[in-house]
Amino acid sequence: MTADALDRPSGAAAAAAAAGPTASRADADAAPMVEIVGVHKMFGDLHVLKGVDLEVPRGSVCVVLGPSGSGKSTLLRCINELEDLTAGRIYVDGDLIGYREVEKNGTKRLHRLHPKVIAEQRSRIGMVFQRFNLFPHMTALQNVMEAPVQVRGLSRAKAKERAEELLARVGLADRMDHYPAQLSGGQQQRVAIARALAMDPELMLFDEPTSALDPELVGEVLAVMRDLAESGMTMIVVTHEIGFAREVGDHVVFMDDGAIVEQGDPREVLTNPREERTREFLAHVL
């Protein structure tokens, strides 16, 4: 199964493209920020994602639940182009991610984009991992400044001003000159969130951002994520924090064995799931 052998599917991204430059702003706002169409991912003989279809509206919070090994993190890595697709397509803000389409003999095929173009696409997507991955030899302020200076070419003065604003936003105004080793796990994760925001992303991806934290530190990170959600940031969050899914999520997705088993309004899925596999999972985590 190869990504370049598939025809372009119909969908919101295709409709927006067909509408052309005369399409209204309302039409653009109605299109999903993320559209995932028939995505498969294989690692050798291991079929990790099995035809995933998902739409994430702009300004919404999509929470992805599921047991370990269900494909949740791989899906995020595919959205952020850290993994190549085996088949299917992913659109972010209407743009096909990682590939361009070439029509030949009536068939549309995908060709991988140049790494520089992929890097530019990736810069529009912020990602926060389980591990903080901060530069240990840099202060919190320097960690947040680095990417805007090196990738975006922002002046150090402007990058510093923006980094100070973001660190204050995540509650670390008094820790800007501290090195990672001088910060708690929750503080390091908040620096990582500020670092991702420094690139002014259109979309934020969170891959189990609290799983490596001591229980008493989880709340401070979730509070920052709640603030982001309230500001209108589009977010896809892989987590086991059911309370966050219920309180902050606009849409909940339950994955198992590489596929979406059930999805919908958090109040419905978490309170009265339709699928037996969803009920089994929630019985173990609630």
Side-chain angles (χ1 to χ4, degrees):
M1 186 182 299
T2 58
D4 63 355
L6 298 181
D7 290 338
R8 177 179 173 132
S10 60
T22 60
S24 69
R25 173 71 186 183
D27 292 334
D29 289 342
M33 174 60 77
V34 181
E35 184 180 11
I36 300 170
V37 185
V39 164
H40 290 258
K41 176 62 183 176
M42 299 186 72
F43 295 99
D45 294 330
L46 183 61
H47 203 165
V48 178
L49 296 177
K50 303 175 180 178
V52 174
D53 294 293
L54 179 65
E55 289 189 1
V56 180
R58 298 169 189 275
S60 69
V61 179
C62 177
V63 180
V64 184
L65 307 173
S68 297
S70 59
K72 308 182 302 297
S73 294
T74 299
L75 181 62
L76 289 193
R77 291 177 64 85
C78 287
I79 296 171
N80 204 31
E81 303 181 63
L82 297 175
E83 300 288 352
D84 295 345
L85 301 183
T86 302
R89 286 163 169 76
I90 296 176
Y91 302 89
V92 174
D93 197 19
D95 293 333
L96 180 60
I97 292 295
Y99 300 88
R100 61 185 175 88
E101 287 185 327
V102 177
E103 185 170 353
K104 186 176 182 180
N105 299 326
T107 300
K108 293 181 179 178
R109 298 181 180 274
L110 296 182
H111 293 267
R112 192 70 169 156
L113 293 173
H114 189 279
K116 287 186 177 180
V117 180
I118 291 175
E120 169 57 29
Q121 288 186 334
R122 189 182 293 129
S123 72
R124 297 159 48 198
I125 304 171
M127 188 160 181
V128 178
F129 299 87
Q130 297 178 35
R131 298 294 174 179
F132 325 121
N133 300 320
L134 300 177
F135 294 115
H137 62 289
M138 293 183 178
T139 65
L141 184 66
Q142 292 167 336
N143 265 282
V144 178
M145 289 174 56
E146 185 69 7
V149 171
Q150 298 299 330
V151 178
R152 288 278 173 85
L154 202 65
S155 71
R156 298 198 69 82
K158 289 184 178 180
K160 182 174 183 292
E161 181 180 359
R162 176 65 171 152
E164 289 173 343
E165 292 174 358
L166 290 170
L167 286 169
R169 180 177 180 181
V170 300
L172 294 173
D174 60 342
R175 295 290 188 272
M176 295 185 188
D177 295 327
H178 286 57
Y179 291 89
Q182 298 171 310
L183 301 173
S184 70
Q187 290 169 339
Q188 290 185 60
Q189 190 63 294
R190 284 186 279 158
V191 173
I193 293 172
R195 179 181 58 184
L197 291 173
M199 295 293 286
D200 294 320
E202 303 169 8
L203 167 70
M204 285 286 288
L205 309 176
F206 293 86
D207 187 7
E208 300 192 23
T210 61
S211 65
L213 300 179
D214 292 335
E216 65 268 23
L217 302 178
V218 169
E220 63 190 54
V221 174
L222 294 180
V224 171
M225 294 170 63
R226 286 188 181 93
D227 176 70
L228 275 180
E230 291 171 0
S231 74
M233 174 67 72
T234 308
M235 300 162 58
I236 304 178
V237 183
V238 168
T239 185
H240 291 295
E241 300 291 339
I242 303 300
F244 178 87
R246 182 183 290 111
E247 297 166 20
V248 182
D250 297 297
H251 191 78
V252 166
V253 173
F254 173 65
M255 291 185 66
D256 188 38
D257 194 27
I260 293 177
V261 175
E262 185 167 352
Q263 60 178 308
D265 185 287
R267 291 164 295 185
E268 296 177 4
V269 174
L270 299 176
T271 303
N272 189 29
R274 299 187 306 272
E275 302 297 329
E276 177 62 28
R277 183 66 187 94
T278 313
R279 290 194 289 270
E280 291 175 358
F281 173 79
L282 291 175
H284 284 88
V285 298
L286 289 176

